[in-house]
C-alpha cells in the first residue's frame, strides 16, 4: 500500500515562508469540509518555518526548521482522542471536523504543538496535507507546490521503499521518533548540532597573515575525531558536533610554527574561537 | 484592363463592401442581442441615431437604436445624434477589415489623417464606438470564453505579479487560490547547462516570491478602497482645510461627484495657473501588466493632460548610474552591465563568486521571484567557493554558505581599493588586458599605492575604515588574484545597498575597476552571481512594461526603441517640460524651488545637466495627482512628504489607489483603483525592459501571459485605465486617451504586435493563459557579456545600445567611453570637473558624511543603520493591508496585538542598552522617531543595525510629519542628501541612529 511521506530539507530551505503563505492562501476563507473548515486568518498557522541561528559573526549560520503536523503513524492525538482523529490508509492524519469542534484538549495532545485552536469556529484544526486536493489528483500539497527548491517534498511510496530513502538520505525525526512521524528531516544538524570555527594566522614580518597551509585536528580524550585543512582565509569550521559533547581539543599545526592546542567545552552553542596566532 | 477601369472596379468593390457591411450591421447587433441578454442590456443604454457615411454623401446609412432594438435605412439624414464619416470607401474598407483581423495600422492612419471622423456628443459617440468594438470581443465579454475550466467547476486563470506569474483559481467570482505555474506536457523542454561533468536543467515550472503568494489576501484586504472618497472637511467650492490632510477622515461619494470634482479641478488649475500646474507621480512599481502599467496608461493620460512629472533617480542602483557608468558606459542601463550568457560562463569557467552587497535571495534580483534560487543551489553542487560582503548576513549568504565579510556601511570602497592595492603590489592582475583594453590605469595606481597622497591603500589602511581585519582582506585579494572570479553586485547585476550610501558611487566604481583589472569578459571573469543571464531566447520579441504599452510616448518610455515599428498607435507627447527631481518633491512643493542633476539614458555625459524647478514659463505645482501611497515609506526622510501635503501650496490632491495606506490618507479625493486580478492585461514574467533590457534573463523560462480579468472589480473600484478614461471623458479627451479602445482591445492589439501572435492563437492564449518561449539550441546562445570587448572584436551582444553617436571612434567598437576602452581615469568626469573632490576622475575612497568618522553626530547616534530592499514585501507591496505577509515572523513581529516592523540588532548592542528580544523600541535621530519590534541576532555585527525599507502604511502618533511613527517607517530616519553633490541619487544606507526602549505613548 503506497502512502504519503514528507521530507523537509533544512539545507534547501531559503526561508521564503511560501509554505505558510500557500497554506493560508488555501485555507483562509475557504472551507474544505469534510476535510477541514476555514483556517483563522492570523491566529493559526498549520505550517511554519522557525528561524534558527548558530554561531556569531563572521561565522553566523541561519536555518529554518519548518514544522507542521507530522502525520504520525503512532499519533499521540489519535491515542488520546481515537474518535476525533482519522488515520487514512495513505498515511494522512485528519481531525474529524465535527468531533474536533469544541475539543480544546486536542490542541494539547500534539507534542509538536501543531494542532491549533480556531477561536472563531471553536474547533481544533491542523494540516491535512491538503487531502482535499490530493484526493482530486494533485501531486503535491500547497506548501510543497509553492516551495522554490522543494525543501519540502512528498514521496508517495510503500513504507519499505521510504525506509531505504530514509537511510540513504539520512532523514531524522525532529524528536525521538517514537510517534513514528511521516515527516522526516534532512540536514537536521543545522538545527540540533554545533560547529566549532576558527581563524589561524601568523606574522609575516609585521603583517598578520592568514595561515592558509595550516591543518586542524579535532580530538576528544586523545582520540582523533576529525582532521581538515583550512581554507584560503586560513579558517576552519568543523560541523555536526553533538550538543553537550563535553570538552574537545582543537590542535592546529603549521610547518615551522609551534602547534596551537585549545580546549573547548561544547554545550548547546556553536563556537567561533576567534583568530589564533601561530608562533615560532 | 486600363488603369481607369481598374480603379473603378476597386471603388465599386469598396462601395459594395461598405454597403454590405453596414447593411448587415443592424441585423448583426440584433442577432447578438438575442443571443446574449447582457448585450441586449448594453443596446438599451442609448436611444440614438447614428449616421455612417462617406464624406461626399455619395453613400450613407442611418442606424437607429431604440429600446434595445436596432434598425437601419439607406440614405443621408441630417439629424443623427452621432456621425461616423469615412473619407472614402477605400478607407472604410481598410479600417473595417483591419479591425476584423486585428490590424490597426489603417485605423491609426485614418484617425491621424482625419479620414475617419466621429462627431456627436462625447457620451453618445463613445458609446457607439465602443459598441462596435464589443462586437469583436463578444466571445470574451459575453460568453466569458477564457481560462481553463477544471473538473471541479473552478476556473483557472493567469495573472502576473511583481514576484512571478500565477495561476488564479476562481469560483463564483471569488479567488479560491493562487499558485506558481506548473508547465504541462505541451510546453517546451527547458535548456541545460553542462559544467564540470554535470548537467543542470531547471524544472518545468515558475516560482513565486512571498509577496506573490500573498496576493489573494491583498485582493480581499480590508484596506481596499471600494468607493470614491472625499475628505470630510474638503469643500472644492469653499474651505479646503489643507492643514487637515492626513488627519481628517473620509466620506463616500459617488463616482459622478468624484469625477466631477477631479475633472473640474484639472481644468480650473490649468486654466488659472497654466502649464506645469498639475503634477503626477507613481511609485516605481505598479501592479503587473504592460498595458495597465503606469508607463502605459498613466503616461498616455498625463501626456493628454499635460503635467509636471518627476525626474527619476535609479534608487536601486545609484552608485552604478552616477559612478561606474563613467568607467565602462552602459548609460541605457543607467550604468548596469550586460548579462548575456553569464550563467553558463560562470558555471563552466569561474573559480569563485564574490557576492558584494548582493542578496538576490531577498530581492529576487528584481521581479524574478525565486527563479535564481536553483542556480545558487547548482553553485553549491559545483563546489564553487563563494564570499559574501555585506554588513548584514543576508539570505543569500545564509543559503549558500561561504565566508561572510561585514564592512561598516559606506566603507566598501576602501575594502575594494585595498584589494586593488594587493594586486598592484603583487602583480596579480591581467597586465596584458590592462595594457590593451584600458586607459588611465597608471593614474589610479598612483592613488591606490599612495604615490599621490602618501597613503598606500593597503589592507591595513582599510581596516581602520571598514572594521574588517587586514588579514581577511589580504587573503581574499590573494585568492581573487589567482582565480577567475565572478563579481555579483546587488541582486541583479549592478544593484546593491552599498551603492546607496554616501559616495556609494565610489563603491560601484571600485567594483568595475576590480573586474577590469582581472580581465572583464574573459572566460570566467565577469559580473553576476547566476541571478541574471540565463540561456534563453533573446530574439523572441515581446517587450517589457517600461517599453511603453499603449502610451504612444516614443520619447518618455522605451516605446521609441521597442514598439514604434510594431504596434500602430497614435503618438502622445507631454507638451510640458517641467520636472521635479523625485528626491526633492517636498522641497519643490514647499519652497517652490528645486534643482538636481538629471540622469539621461542616451549618453553618459547627459547626467551633468540639471533639472531646475520651476521650469521657465511654467507654473509651480498646484495640484498633485498621485498614484498610490508609496512615496512615504520608500523615499528618504519620508516625514517631508507628510509636511508637504499639509501646506497650502497644493490646492488639490487626488490619490488613485488600491488600498488606504501611506500618503493615500493625505488626499482630498481618493479614487478607488482595482488590482490586476480585476482587469485585463498582458505581460511577461519579470520583464521590465527599459532601463533593464532583457530583464527576463533572470528567469529559468520566458513565460509570457495574458492577464485574465479573473474577477469583477471589488466594490465600485475600477481599473486605472477605466478611471483615466472616465476623467478623460469629462474633459473631452476620450478618443485621444484610448482611441476609443477598451483595455481588453489594447491587450489584444498588444498581443498582435508581438511574436506571440506567430506562435499561439488569441483564443488559445485566452484559454491556456500563458506561453513558454522555447530556448534556442545550444549553438545559438548569445555571446557572453563583454566577451567581444575582451577579444577586441565588434560588439556582438543583442542590444541596440549604446547609440551610434556614443562611439567616438568607429561604430560598435569598444565601450561607451570616449576612448572606447575601460577608463580607470574617466574622461567624462575629467572633462566635467577634474577637481570634484566628491567624484574624482579616478575612483577614491571618501569617508561618509554620516558615519563613524562624523564624530559629533556619531557620538550622539552611534549605530549605523542599513535599510536594504525588503525580503517579504516588494517595497510597500504586500506589507500591511492585513495581508498574510504580515504573518511572516521575519517580516513583522506581533507584540501586544500590534504587528511591529522588525529592527535587527546585535546581542551585544542590545545588552549595552538593556534591550531584549521582542521589545518595542524607539529608533531615532534628528530626522524622526520610529517604533519597531526588536530582533536580536548574530546576523549583524555590533555597531550596525538593520531594518528593511518600505513599510506600507504611515501611522504617526501625533501631528503628521512631526511625531513618533508606529508602523515602522524606517525612511523617516534616512537622509535625503544626495549621494554626491553632482548626482541626484539617494544615500539611505548612510544613516546614524540611536535606539531606546519605548516607554509608551504617554511619555
Amino acid at each position: 500500500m503506497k502512502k504519503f511521506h514528507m521530507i523537509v530539507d533544512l539545507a534547501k530551505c531559503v526561508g521564503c515562508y511560501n509554505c505558510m503563505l500557500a497554506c493560508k492562501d488555501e485555507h483562509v476563507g475557504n472551507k474544505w469540509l469534510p476535510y477541514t473548515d476555514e483556517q483563522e486568518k492570523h491566529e493559526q498557522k498549520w505550517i511554519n518555518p522557525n528561524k534558527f541561528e548558530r554561531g556569531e559573526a563572521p561565522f553566523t549560520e541561519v536555518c529554518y526548521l519548518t514544522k507542521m503536523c507530522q502525520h504520525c503513524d503512532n499519533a499521540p492525538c489519535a491515542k488520546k482522542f481515537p474518535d476525533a482523529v482519522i488515520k487514512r490508509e495513505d498515511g494522512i492524519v485528519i481531525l474529524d471536523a465535527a468531533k474536533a469542534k469544541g475539543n480544546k484538549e486536542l490542541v494539547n495532545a500534539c507534542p509538536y504543538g501543531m494542532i491549533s485552536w480556531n477561536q472563531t469556529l471553536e474547533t481544533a484544526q491542523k494540516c491535512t496535507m491538503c487531502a482535499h486536493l490530493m484526493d482530486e489528483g494533485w501531486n503535491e500539497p500547497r506548501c510543497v507546490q509553492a516551495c522554490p527548491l522543494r525543501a519540502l517534498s512528498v514521496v508517495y511510496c510503500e513504507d519499505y521503499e521510504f525506509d531505504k530513502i530514509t537511510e540513504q538520505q539520512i532523514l531524522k525525526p525532529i524528536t525521538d521518533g517514537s510517534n513514528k512521524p511521516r515527516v522526516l528531516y534532512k540536514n537536521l544538524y543545522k538545527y540540533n548540532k554545533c560547529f566549532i570555527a576558527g581563524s589561524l594566522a601568523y606574522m609575516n614580518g609585521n603583517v598578520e597573515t592568514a595561515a592558509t597551509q595550516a591543518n586542524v585536528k579535532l580530538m576528544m580524550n586523545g582520540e582523533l575525531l576529525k582532521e581538515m585543512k583550512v581554507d584560503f582565509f586560513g579558517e576552519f569550521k568543523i560541523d555536526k558536533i553533538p550538543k553537550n559533547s563535553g570538552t574537545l581539543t582543537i590542535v592546529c599545526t603549521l610547518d615551522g610554527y609551534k602547534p596551537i592546542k585549545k580546549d573547548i567545552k561544547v554545550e548547546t552553542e556553536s563556537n567561533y574561537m576567534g583568530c589564533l596566532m601561530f608562533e615560532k | 484592363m486600363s488603369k481607369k477601369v481598374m480603379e473603378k472596379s476597386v471603388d465599386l468593390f469598396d462601395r459594395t463592401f461598405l454597403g454590405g457591411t453596414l447593411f448587415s450591421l443592424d441585423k448583426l447587433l440584433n442577432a447578438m442581442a438575442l443571443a446574449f441578454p447582457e448585450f441586449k442590456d448594453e443596446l438599451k443604454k442609448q436611444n440614438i441615431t447614428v449616421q455612417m457615411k462617406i464624406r461626399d454623401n455619395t453613400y450613407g446609412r442611418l442606424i437607429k437604436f431604440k429600446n434595445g432594438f436596432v434598425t437601419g435605412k439607406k440614405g443621408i439624414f441630417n439629424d443623427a445624434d452621432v456621425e461616423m464619416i469615412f473619407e472614402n470607401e477605400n478607407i472604410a474598407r481598410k479600417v473595417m477589415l483591419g479591425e476584423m483581423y486585428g490590424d490597426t495600422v489603417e485605423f491609426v492612419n485614418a484617425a491621424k489623417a482625419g479620414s475617419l471622423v466621429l462627431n456627436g456628443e462625447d457620451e453618445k459617440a463613445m458609446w457607439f464606438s465602443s459598441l462596435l468594438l464589443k462586437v469583436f470581443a463578444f466571445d470574451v465579454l459575453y460568453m466569458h470564453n477564457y481560462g481553463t475550466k477544471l473538473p471541479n467547476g473552478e476556473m483557472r486563470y493567469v495573472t502576473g505579479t511583481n514576484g512571478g506569474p500565477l495561476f488564479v483559481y476562481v469560483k463564483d467570482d471569488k479567488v479560491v487560490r493562487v499558485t506558481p505555474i506548473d508547465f504541462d506536457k505541451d510546453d517546451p523542454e527547458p535548456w541545460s547547462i553542462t559544467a564540470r561533468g554535470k548537467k543542470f536543467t531547471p524544472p518545468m515550472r515558475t516560482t513565486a516570491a512571498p509577496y506573490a503568494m500573498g496576493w489573494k489576501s491583498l485582493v480581499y484586504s480590508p484596506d481596499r478602497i471600494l468607493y470614491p472618497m472625499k475628505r470630510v472637511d474638503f469643500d472644492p467650492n469653499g474651505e479646503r482645510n489643507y492643514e487637515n490632510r492626513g488627519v481628517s477622515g473620509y466620506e463616500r461619494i459617488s463616482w459622478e461627484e468624484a469625477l466631477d470634482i477631479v475633472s473640474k479641478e484639472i481644468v480650473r488649475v490649468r486654466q488659472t495657473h497654466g502649464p506645469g500646474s498639475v503634477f503626477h507621480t507613481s511609485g516605481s512599481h505598479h501592479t503587473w501588466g504592460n498595458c495597465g502599467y503606469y508607463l502605459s496608461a498613466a503616461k498616455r493620460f498625463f501626456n493628454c493632460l499635460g503635467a509636471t512629472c518627476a525626474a527619476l533617480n535609479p534608487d536601486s542602483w545609484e552608485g552604478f548610474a552616477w559612478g561606474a557608468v563613467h568607467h565602462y558606459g552602459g548609460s541605457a542601463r543607467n550604468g548596469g552591465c550586460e548579462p548575456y550568457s553569464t550563467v553558463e560562463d560562470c558555471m563552466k569557467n569561474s573559480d569563485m563568486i564574490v557576492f558584494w552587497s548582493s542578496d538576490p535571495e531577498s530581492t529576487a534580483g528584481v521581479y524574478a521571484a525565486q527563479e535564481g534560487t536553483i542556480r545558487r543551489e547548482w553553485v553549491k553542487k559545483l563546489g564553487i567557493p563563494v564570499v559574501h560582503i555585506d554588513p548584514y548576513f543576508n539570505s543569500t549568504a545564509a543559503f549558500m554558505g561561504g565566508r561572510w565579510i561585514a564592512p561598516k556601511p559606506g566603507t566598501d570602497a576602501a575594502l575594494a581599493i585595498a584589494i586593488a592595492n594587493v594586486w598592484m603590489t603583487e602583480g596579480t592582475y591581467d597586465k596584458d588586458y590592462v595594457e590593451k583594453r584600458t586607459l588611465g590605469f597608471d593614474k589610479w595606481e598612483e592613488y591606490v599605492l599612495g604615490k599621490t597622497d602618501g597613503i598606500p591603500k593597503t589592507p591595513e589602511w582599510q581596516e581602520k575604515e571598514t572594521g574588517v581585519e587586514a588579514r581577511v582582506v589580504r587573503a581574499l585579494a590573494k585568492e581573487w588574484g589567482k582565480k577567475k572570479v565572478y563579481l555579483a553586485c546587488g541582486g541583479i547585476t549592478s544593484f546593491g545597498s552599498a551603492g546607496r550610501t554616501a559616495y556609494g558611487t565610489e563603491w560601484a566604481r571600485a567594483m568595475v575597476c576590480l573586474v577590469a583589472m582581472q580581465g572583464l569578459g574573459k572566460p570566467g571573469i565577469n559580473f553576476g552571481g547566476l541571478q541574471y543571464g540565463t540561456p534563453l531566447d533573446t530574439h523572441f520579441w515581446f517587450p517589457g512594461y517600461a517599453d511603453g504599452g499603449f502610451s504612444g510616448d516614443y520619447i518618455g518610455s522605451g516605446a521609441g526603441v521597442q514598439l514604434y515599428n510594431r504596434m500602430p498607435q497614435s503618438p502622445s507627447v507631454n507638451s510640458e517640460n517641467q520636472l521635479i527631481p523625485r528626491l526633492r518633491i517636498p522641497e519643490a512643493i514647499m519652497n517652490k524651488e528645486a534643482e538636481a542633476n538629471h540622469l539621461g539614458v542616451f549618453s553618459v555625459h547627459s547626467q551633468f545637466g540639471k533639472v531646475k524647478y520651476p521650469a521657465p514659463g511654467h507654473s509651480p505645482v498646484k495640484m498633485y495627482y498621485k498614484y498610490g501611497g508609496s512615496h512615504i515609506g520608500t523615499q528618504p526622510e519620508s516625514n517631508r512628504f507628510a509636511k508637504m501635503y499639509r501646506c497650502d501650496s497644493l490646492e488639490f490632491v487626488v490619490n488613485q489607489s488600491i488600498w488606504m495606506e501611506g500618503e493615500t490618507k493625505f488626499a482630498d479625493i481618493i479614487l478607488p483603483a482595482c488590482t490586476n486580478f480585476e482587469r485585463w492585461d498582458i505581460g511577461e514574467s519579470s520583464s521590465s525592459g527599459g532601463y533593464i533590457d532583457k530583464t527576463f534573463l533572470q528567469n529559468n523560462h520566458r513565460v509570457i501571459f495574458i492577464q485574465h480579468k479573473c474577477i469583477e472589480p471589488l466594490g465600485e473600484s475600477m481599473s486605472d485605465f477605466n478611471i483615466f478614461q472616465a476623467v478623460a471623458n469629462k474633459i473631452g479627451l476620450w478618443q485621444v486617451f484610448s482611441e476609443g479602445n477598451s483595455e481588453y482591445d489594447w491587450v489584444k492589439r498588444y498581443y498582435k504586435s508581438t511574436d506571440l501572435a506567430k506562435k499561439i492563437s488569441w483564443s488559445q492564449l485566452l484559454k491556456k493563459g500563458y506561453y513558454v518561449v522555447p530556448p534556442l539550441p545550444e549553438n545559438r546562445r548569445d555571446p557572453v557579456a563583454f566577451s567581444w570587448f575582451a577579444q577586441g572584436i565588434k560588439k556582438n551582444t543583442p542590444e541596440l545600445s549604446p547609440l551610434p553617436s556614443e562611439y567616438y571612434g568607429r561604430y560598435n567598437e569598444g565601450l561607451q567611453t570616449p576612448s572606447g576602452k575601460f577608463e580607470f581615469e574617466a574622461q567624462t568626469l575629467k572633462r566635467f570637473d577634474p577637481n570634484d573632490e566628491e567624484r574624482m576622475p579616478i575612483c577614491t575612497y571618501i569617508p561618509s558624511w554620516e558615519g563613524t568618522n562624523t564624530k559629533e553626530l556619531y557620538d550622539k547616534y552611534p549605530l549605523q543603520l542599513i535599510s536594504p530592499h525588503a525580503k517579504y514585501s516588494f517595497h510597500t507591496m504586500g506589507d500591511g493591508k492585513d495581508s498574510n505577509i504580515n504573518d511572516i515572523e521575519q517580516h513583522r513581529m506581533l507584540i501586544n496585538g500590534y504587528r511591529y516592523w522588525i529592527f535587527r540588532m546585535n546581542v551585544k548592542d542590545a545588552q549595552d542598552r538593556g534591550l531584549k528580544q521582542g521589545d518595542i523600541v524607539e529608533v531615532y535621530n534628528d530626522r524622526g522617531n520610529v517604533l519597531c519590534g526588536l530582533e536580536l541576532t548574530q546576523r549583524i555585527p555590533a555597531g550596525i543595525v538593520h531594518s528593511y525599507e518600505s513599510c506600507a502604511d504611515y501611522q504617526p502618533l501625533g501631528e503628521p510629519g512631526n511625531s513618533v511613527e508606529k508602523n515602522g517607517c524606517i525612511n523617516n530616519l534616512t537622509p535625503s542628501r544626495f549621494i554626491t553633490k553632482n548626482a541626484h541619487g539617494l544615500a539611505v544606507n548612510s544613516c546614524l541612529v540611536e535606539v531606546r526602549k519605548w516607554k509608551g505613548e504617554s511619555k
Side-chain angles (χ1 to χ4, degrees), chain A residues 11-18 20-22 24-30 32 41-43 45 48-51 53-64 132-133 136 138 140 142 145-150 190 199-202 206-212 231-235 272 275 277, chain B residues 152 154 169 174-182 205 207-211 213-214 216-217 222 352 361 370 373-374 377 380-381 385 387 393 395 398-399 403-405 460 469-476 478-479 483 871-872 882-890 899 935-941:
Chain A
K12 284 192 174 195
C13 178
V14 294
C16 67
Y17 287 73
N18 272 4
M20 184 274 280
L21 293 167
K24 289 216 164 285
D25 184 72
E26 186 66 24
H27 293 286
V28 174
N30 290 328
W32 302 117
K41 187 167 168 61
H42 296 302
E43 291 72 12
K45 284 175 192 164
N48 198 32
N50 298 282
K51 190 205 67 161
E53 293 183 8
R54 295 196 297 169
E56 61 187 289
F59 283 88
T60 301
E61 267 202 23
V62 174
C63 73
Y64 299 83
H132 65 292
L133 294 175
E136 267 185 13
W138 284 55
E140 297 168 319
R142 291 292 312 278
Q145 200 265 346
C147 180
L149 274 189
R150 296 303 193 264
K190 286 174 159 293
S199 309
L200 303 175
Y202 64 96
N206 57 358
V207 175
E208 186 184 296
T209 305
T212 56
D231 63 15
F232 66 81
F233 285 105
E235 293 174 335
Y272 172 55
C275 185
M277 295 296 296
Chain B
N152 65 4
E154 291 171 359
Y169 294 71
K174 186 172 172 290
V175 178
V176 176
R177 71 176 67 83
V178 300
T179 72
I181 295 174
D182 288 326
R205 56 178 180 245
T207 54
Y211 35 86
M213 285 310 299
K216 189 182 97 181
S217 65
M352 181 159 82
E361 210 50 67
Q370 303 279 348
T373 304
I374 193 157
E377 194 192 28
K380 291 211 255 184
K381 286 183 175 163
V387 173
F393 184 69
S395 295
F399 171 54
R403 182 55 149 90
W404 170 39
I405 296 171
E460 284 70 24
E469 300 95 323
R471 159 182 54 82
V472 173
V473 174
R474 184 167 274 109
L476 174 62
K478 279 178 184 286
E479 189 71 6
K483 286 184 164 176
K871 179 174 167 72
Y872 299 107
D882 201 38
S883 84
N884 291 345
I885 302 297
N886 302 287
D887 292 308
I888 296 174
E889 286 151 16
Q890 284 295 300
R899 287 190 158 79
E935 162 114 339
L936 301 190
T937 182
Q938 294 291 351
R939 298 177 76 164
I940 192 108

Side-chain angles (χ1 to χ4, degrees), chain B residues 309-573:
Chain B
C309 296
L312 300 181
N313 54 312
D315 47 14
S316 293
W317 65 111
E318 305 282 15
F320 284 86
W322 303 103
V325 73
H326 297 286
H327 297 288
Y328 80 144
S331 67
R333 292 172 178 272
N334 286 344
C337 60
E338 296 185 358
Y340 309 102
S341 294
T342 48
V343 168
E344 183 166 13
D345 177 51
C346 179
M347 288 173 67
K348 282 182 166 161
N349 301 316
S350 82
D351 305 316
M352 181 159 82
I353 306 173
V354 176
F355 288 83
W356 202 319
S357 197
S358 174
D359 184 14
E361 210 50 67
S362 293
T363 61
V366 61
Y367 305 129
Q370 303 279 348
E371 291 290 291
T373 304
I374 193 157
R375 285 168 248 141
R376 289 184 277 282
E377 194 192 28
W378 294 346
V379 172
K380 291 211 255 184
K381 286 183 175 163
L382 286 167
I384 301 173
V386 291
V387 173
H388 303 275
I389 305 178
D390 190 335
Y392 182 55
F393 184 69
N394 63 45
S395 295
T396 305
F399 171 54
M400 298 185 83
R403 182 55 149 90
W404 170 39
I405 296 171
K408 290 177 192 167
T411 66
D412 298 70
L415 202 161
I417 290 167
I419 290 172
N421 177 286
V422 174
W423 295 346
M424 289 169 182
T425 310
E426 301 185 356
T428 48
Y429 62 94
D430 192 331
K431 288 176 188 152
D432 181 58
Y433 184 99
V434 165
E435 191 190 320
K436 289 188 179 133
R437 305 267 173 262
T438 76
L439 186 81
F441 182 69
D442 51 335
K443 285 278 187 298
W444 197 44
E445 194 175 31
E446 282 174 11
Y447 164 77
V448 174
L449 296 179
K451 288 177 184 161
T452 43
D453 58 3
I455 305 167
K457 314 298 180 300
T458 61
E460 284 70 24
W461 162 81
Q462 66 80 45
E463 183 169 338
K464 289 189 284 296
E465 302 298 322
T466 66
V468 178
E469 300 95 323
R471 159 182 54 82
V472 173
V473 174
R474 184 167 274 109
L476 174 62
K478 279 178 184 286
E479 189 71 6
W480 194 336
K482 277 190 280 200
K483 286 184 164 176
K484 287 179 285 185
V485 174
Y486 257 67
L487 175 60
C489 305
I492 191 169
T493 46
S494 338
F495 272 34
S497 297
R500 301 191 291 274
T501 58
Y503 313 119
T505 42
E506 304 307 301
W507 166 71
R509 298 176 70 181
M511 293 298 97
V512 295
C513 288
L514 288 186
V515 180
M517 277 182 80
Q518 295 298 345
L520 167 64
K522 287 188 156 190
I525 300 165
N526 224 309
F527 296 106
L530 298 126
Q531 174 63 26
Y532 195 17
T534 49
L536 291 171
D537 182 358
T538 52
H539 302 277
F540 187 93
W541 191 80
F542 190 91
Y545 73 66
D547 296 321
F550 79 97
S551 69
D553 190 332
Y554 298 108
I555 300 161
S557 77
V561 185
Q562 292 290 354
L563 275 159
Y564 78 99
N565 60 334
R566 300 287 295 239
M567 186 163 105
Q569 52 178 313
S570 52
S572 88
V573 172

Side-chain angles (χ1 to χ4, degrees), chain B residues 576-624:
Chain B
E576 299 180 7
N577 49 26
Q578 174 161 276
L579 292 170
I580 298 179
R582 181 167 56 182
L583 292 171
R584 290 292 173 265
I585 290 172
E587 288 77 5
I589 303 293
M590 290 188 288
N591 311 335
K592 301 189 175 58
E593 339 182 281
E595 183 178 303
N597 282 76
H598 185 31
L599 197 65
V601 291
F602 297 141
S603 71
V604 174
H605 55 264
S606 68
Q607 65 171 256
F608 299 131
K610 288 198 171 188
V611 169
K612 280 185 189 168
Y613 170 90
H618 286 65
S619 161
V621 166
K622 299 290 178 183
M623 166 179 169
Y624 195 1

Side-chain angles (χ1 to χ4, degrees), chain B residues 18 53-59 85-89:
Chain B
L18 181 67
K53 66 172 191 179
I54 303 299
R55 184 185 292 283
D56 62 8
N57 289 335
T58 52
Y59 179 81
I85 306 170
F86 293 99
E87 192 60 32
N88 57 45
E89 295 88 342

